[in-house]
Amino acid sequence: MTTSHRNFWSFFSAGRIVFGSGSVRNLGELIRPLRSTRALIVADGALVRAGIVERVKAPLHQAGLSVDVFDGGEPEPSFAIAEQAIGFARNARPDVLIGLGGGSNMDLAKVVATVLTHGKSCRDFTGFGNVPGPVMPLVCIPTTAGTGSEVSHAAVLTDTENQMKVSILSHYLRPALAVVDAELTLTCPVRATADSGIDALTHAIEAMTATRFNELNVPAHEPFPYDGKQPIADCMAEKAIELIGKHLATAVREPQNLAAREGMALAATLGGLAFSNSAVAAVHALEYPLGGALHCSHGAGNGLLLPYVMRYNLSTRLPEFAKIAQLLGEDISNLSDQSAAERAITAVERLRREVGIPERIRDLGGTYDQLPTFASKAFAIKRLMLLNPRQPTEADLLAILQDAY
């Protein structure tokens, strides 16, 4: 296979990001430039019951839009749910899609927008670069602080038949508008707050420690979904890590603490911008089969695996890990480079424990004999193997899983 080093990097974002508590009340004005008249909100029953769907519908109605709601969203959505949402949308005939909720609902909206625009089945778009062009106007409004899907180019679905999470990756999936209103996260359950928050931390750490853009070997002339570690993503990842270290535990302990919720909302968006340009790597590769088989949340799976993968990567990223330790509040003065870097793992383990993320695969119901299958499926995700700073073998991945078991 012919490969080449890239001597350049790029940075993509959502068309417009609006950030601030109460900003959703201005949604009608914010959406006006899209010249839409019929909106479809992709949500779930819990958001309907919490009154959040109504809070989003109200300014749309005031702006003269008709609004339909698909409330069948589910955690880690399956292809079957995606097909249901697509069928509902075809009947509703919207000219703007609004993804409201956690990453699952926002990703579902991205998939619906893709199929409504380009036809075919959602399975036809999996992988990178298979969305042939722009999709219909897409607005994402997060009600959790974690996935960064409001700014990212990814939509993840669960292939229940193969017990595997799969991605659709395209820069066309970045929303035209992201409205990040921390007030909408005040009703986020404690467990989802913790899981999504540790997911944001995983995004930022993987982005900051990925293969560098000018060291990334990619097949010549083949599109690639990430550019590798690069300066703008580093800035955003570092700020996200600092905010998570400062605010995640508080948001879990004090769900109504708006300052903590705002800090986590910003961290999640920054983390989304960082990883969707730079990279995710071995943590995500391992989580896709693990989460698909054990039906855990994406955040819980990532948070469980993160320190084990960090330990595997440690030797290749000592300065970055030392900086992560510092950002998470560790005192690394007078420590050796090795000891300072190891403090990053200590800090992540402490935060993971503090917010109640499972620490072992067996805690999620996984069995030891599942580990080789997880390693094999993860190793097959070549784009994420290339982006990991230390290039793993399948045996390395199995050893990481065994350590985490």
Side-chain angles (χ1 to χ4, degrees), residues 110 114 131 135 138 152-155 168-175:
K110 292 178 181 181
T114 300
V131 178
V135 302
L138 178 65
S152 81
H153 64 332
I168 300 172
L169 293 155
S170 170
H171 293 300
Y172 293 125
L173 294 188
R174 293 186 191 270

Side-chain angles (χ1 to χ4, degrees), residues 133-330:
V135 302
M136 64 187 299
L138 178 65
V139 178
C140 281
I141 306 173
T143 62
T144 66
T147 68
S149 189
E150 67 273 13
V151 292
S152 81
H153 64 332
V156 179
L157 295 174
T158 300
D159 183 344
T160 52
E161 186 177 326
N162 294 307
Q163 295 192 323
M164 185 74 173
K165 294 177 186 176
V166 296
S167 297
I168 300 172
L169 293 155
S170 170
H171 293 300
Y172 293 125
L173 294 188
R174 293 186 191 270
L177 173 66
V179 181
V180 185
D181 182 343
E183 287 183 359
L184 300 183
T185 70
L186 290 171
T187 56
C188 182
V190 169
R191 182 75 274 124
T193 299
D195 289 357
S196 57
I198 213 77
D199 189 27
L201 181 64
T202 305
H203 292 156
I205 289 177
E206 289 212 286
M208 186 175 168
T209 59
T211 301
R212 295 181 179 89
F213 75 94
N214 58 349
E215 297 174 351
L216 183 61
N217 281 329
V218 297
H221 312 301
E222 183 175 310
F224 200 68
Y226 303 100
D227 274 10
K229 178 178 169 63
Q230 46 108 320
I232 292 182
D234 277 355
C235 292
M236 294 187 171
E238 289 183 21
K239 186 61 177 178
I241 293 166
E242 180 184 15
L243 287 165
I244 293 164
K246 188 178 296 183
H247 294 297
L248 176 55
T250 303
V252 171
R253 283 195 312 267
E254 306 170 24
Q256 296 303 304
N257 187 318
L258 185 58
R261 293 291 196 177
E262 287 176 336
M264 285 305 302
L266 181 56
T269 297
L270 291 173
L273 288 167
F275 90 78
S276 66
N277 284 282
S278 177
V280 288
V283 177
H284 277 70
L286 289 165
E287 196 284 326
Y288 285 153
L290 182 147
L294 304 184
H295 310 293
C296 65
S297 77
H298 181 59
N302 276 340
L304 186 157
L305 292 163
L306 177 59
Y308 300 102
V309 175
M310 288 174 70
R311 190 164 299 282
Y312 173 77
N313 288 331
L314 184 69
S315 63
T316 65
R317 290 291 182 267
L318 292 181
E320 288 83 0
F321 275 49
K323 180 67 174 178
I324 290 166
Q326 200 170 32
L327 291 167
L328 290 174
E330 292 288 316

